[in-house]
Amino acid sequence: MNFDVVIIGGGLAGLTCGIALQEQGKRCAIINNGQAAIDFASGSMDLLSQLPSGQKVENVYQALDELSQQAPEHPYSLIGKERVLAKAQQFEQLAKKLRLDLIGSTAHNHTKVTPLGGLRRTWLSPNSVPMLEDNAPFAHQKIAILGIEGYHDFQPQLLADNLKRQPQFSHCELTIDYLNIPELDYLRENSREFRSVNIAQLLEHKLSFNELVQEIKQKAKEADAVFLPACFGLDDQSFFNGLKEATRLSLYELPTLPPSLLGGRQRKQLRHYFESLGGLMINGDKALSATFEAGKVKHIFTSLHEDDPIGAEHFVLASGSFFSNGLVGEFERVYEPVFEADILNSKTFDKSDRLTWTHSRFASPQPYQSAGVVINGSCQVQKAGETIENLYAVGSVIGGYNGIELGCGSGVAIVTALTVAEQIGAAK
């Protein structure tokens, strides 16, 4: 099998890169091993929320200059400020075209409500989640927080208690209650299946829509805003929007414990668009190794094609970090298993010194989270000190940053993916 581009990894980075390449007319295949980090994500996407110094970021454009000074090895610093902002804005347009129902802007971060009642700055959020602009008071005064009887991945009382501590909600009257949905009894008896995805599937296909509307209206009582767990609408937001219209209430949804319905919706929509453009998803497969010729990747071999090499003009490593085995950690080394690409040493992480991999305080940012492969400003990968011309890396497999600490994981995935698509499109 031969393609113009083979992408290893079908998460946010791999799908975004594949979509951009298919739109250019490239013939792409994505090697998809299973669930990706986006399936467990909150649905919001961070561009840059904090600098390494700990300073909170309001204006991303201004913060990128300081980031390049504090973290010159960060992918944003390598790619360059102007291109980072251009690629983030390009994704905003893609999100509108795909109707991902995301709101936000590179101009400034907004504040979203977390499932535990905290407030967090971010770049893009689903328009169905509760948000605050410029830390202004929440728009509604009477809020009903409704859980689902027997469902423990969403805790209304904890959410309410923590919201009461937030100045933006000090004027609010909060009540809690639980939706009684007898059709979920089967799932309650099988606790392993009592997850947001299973609930959404059953509610959408086996429950009377009107009965659900009446149950929400009854439990909301006099509230003008209702917070619900994200369990309504499996493939996109249309089912939830229908509930909002039918109840005539300001409904909001909050992500639950993983797997996340909000992140899963986004992946389904991105994958559908990639395939509608003619892209090929090779599902349930795993890249194992590669062959090289004249300093370039020639073929890769996968678990389903061990004797049938897959060739391409360009290869994109979008395999993720330790979570998805894009990086592997052993007692004495961290390595990238497919191409054996070079691993970046940083200020806090030395791949040859295991004592630098972790911080003694469990809750602190862990240095190993900044581990990843070495790239240049074009996101080309380095192996044995040499740049591989037709091998690129996107997303969390790249080293030099801690996406959790800095609040930039989704942004790096998107920016590097679109940068690589541009590089490949320009290549002769």
Side-chain angles (χ1 to χ4, degrees):
M1 292 189 290
N2 287 283
F3 301 88
D4 294 325
V5 185
V6 168
I7 300 169
I8 300 169
L12 177 61
L15 285 168
T16 301
C17 187
I19 285 170
L21 288 166
Q22 286 292 145
E23 289 183 329
Q24 296 175 23
K26 301 293 185 183
R27 184 167 175 262
C28 301
I30 292 180
I31 310 296
N32 181 35
N33 188 32
Q35 287 186 302
I38 189 174
D39 293 305
F40 298 82
S42 69
S44 293
M45 298 184 181
D46 298 330
L47 187 58
L48 181 64
S49 302
Q50 179 178 298
L51 292 172
S53 63
Q55 178 184 342
K56 302 300 181 183
V57 172
E58 299 292 333
N59 185 300
V60 175
Y61 186 80
Q62 296 173 357
L64 287 173
D65 289 325
E66 185 61 33
L67 179 68
S68 66
Q69 297 297 317
Q70 295 185 22
E73 70 279 3
H74 193 290
Y76 289 168
S77 303
L78 298 176
I79 291 170
K81 173 180 177 178
E82 299 300 332
R83 184 182 253 183
V84 167
L85 268 294
K87 296 308 174 190
Q89 291 163 2
Q90 182 181 342
F91 183 82
E92 290 175 3
Q93 295 305 309
L94 175 64
K96 289 179 181 178
K97 181 166 66 175
L98 270 60
R99 298 181 180 178
L100 296 182
D101 297 312
L102 294 172
I103 57 176
S105 168
T106 57
H108 62 88
N109 287 325
H110 65 266
T111 302
K112 69 168 185 176
V113 177
T114 73
L116 295 181
L119 301 179
R120 190 174 185 278
R121 303 290 282 174
T122 191
W123 167 38
L124 298 173
S125 290
N127 61 17
S128 58
V129 306
M131 286 175 283
L132 305 167
E133 282 295 337
D134 300 320
N135 284 320
F138 190 62
H140 302 280
Q141 183 172 351
K142 294 184 177 181
I143 305 171
I145 303 175
L146 304 182
I148 297 173
E149 287 186 358
Y151 180 60
H152 301 301
D153 289 353
F154 180 76
Q155 296 292 327
Q157 188 64 62
L158 181 60
L159 172 58
D161 290 344
N162 287 331
L163 279 181
K164 290 175 184 176
R165 301 179 181 179
Q166 306 294 346
Q168 296 87 342
F169 287 84
S170 60
H171 67 290
C172 296
E173 178 184 335
L174 304 174
T175 61
I176 68 167
D177 209 330
Y178 295 86
L179 300 176
N180 181 9
I181 306 174
E183 287 81 359
L184 297 179
D185 286 346
Y186 169 76
L187 295 182
R188 291 189 184 93
E189 294 171 2
N190 297 270
S191 58
R192 292 183 180 180
E193 297 182 13
F194 205 26
R195 304 283 185 88
S196 59
V197 173
N198 306 89
I199 293 172
Q201 194 169 28
L202 192 149
L203 293 180
E204 195 163 345
H205 299 292
K206 295 185 179 180
L207 179 68
S208 167
F209 181 81
N210 290 333
E211 288 181 8
L212 180 57
V213 168
Q214 292 305 313
E215 178 69 7
I216 293 173
K217 291 174 68 174
Q218 180 182 344
K219 294 298 174 69
K221 297 177 181 176
E222 300 300 320
D224 50 12
V226 178
F227 288 5
L228 296 165
C231 297
F232 306 91
L234 186 61
D235 296 324
D236 55 38
Q237 203 177 295
S238 58
F239 184 80
F240 180 82
N241 291 341
L243 285 175
K244 188 173 182 180
E245 182 178 351
T247 60
R248 296 184 181 180
L249 293 167
S250 294
L251 299 186
Y252 298 91
E253 56 182 349
L254 287 163
T256 65
L257 289 177
S260 164
L261 204 63
L262 298 178
R265 286 178 192 163
Q266 292 169 355
R267 189 187 187 196
K268 287 179 181 179
Q269 290 171 278
L270 290 168
R271 174 180 168 178
H272 175 75
Y273 186 57
F274 171 73
E275 292 181 315
S276 74
L277 293 170
L280 175 65
M281 294 289 296
I282 303 177
N283 294 308
D285 204 359
K286 180 181 180 180
L288 300 176
S289 61
T291 60
F292 295 81
E293 186 177 292
K296 298 172 67 175
V297 180
K298 182 71 173 176
H299 299 103
I300 63 167
F301 295 87
T302 71
S303 57
L304 297 181
H305 300 89
E306 289 190 72
D307 301 317
D308 184 16
I310 301 175
E313 291 294 318
H314 303 275
F315 294 82
V316 180
L317 187 61
S319 51
S321 187
F322 300 98
F323 176 80
S324 54
N325 292 320
L327 298 174
V328 177
E330 295 182 346
F331 188 81
E332 294 183 346
R333 67 170 182 149
V334 170
Y335 66 98
E336 184 279 309
V338 180
F339 301 97
E340 297 184 7
D342 293 347
I343 299 297
L344 179 69
N345 279 337
S346 64
K347 294 178 182 178
T348 59
F349 174 82
D350 182 347
K351 61 180 181 288
S352 62
D353 182 1
R354 195 177 190 281
L355 295 179
T356 68
W357 296 3
T358 57
H359 192 284
S360 58
R361 188 170 183 271
F362 179 78
S364 296
Q366 297 298 323
Y368 75 86
Q369 293 172 324
S370 67
V373 303
V374 179
I375 61 166
N376 59 18
S378 298
C379 298
Q380 291 169 307
V381 174
Q382 178 180 297
K383 176 180 169 69
E386 300 292 332
T387 297
I388 308 300
E389 181 183 338
N390 70 334
L391 176 60
Y392 303 82
V394 298
S396 57
V397 73
I398 297 172
Y401 75 103
N402 185 330
I404 298 174
E405 177 191 9
L406 303 184
C408 63
S410 299
V412 168
I414 288 164
V415 167
T416 55
L418 294 176
T419 297
V420 166
E422 181 182 56
Q423 291 293 127
I424 292 175
K428 295 182 180 179

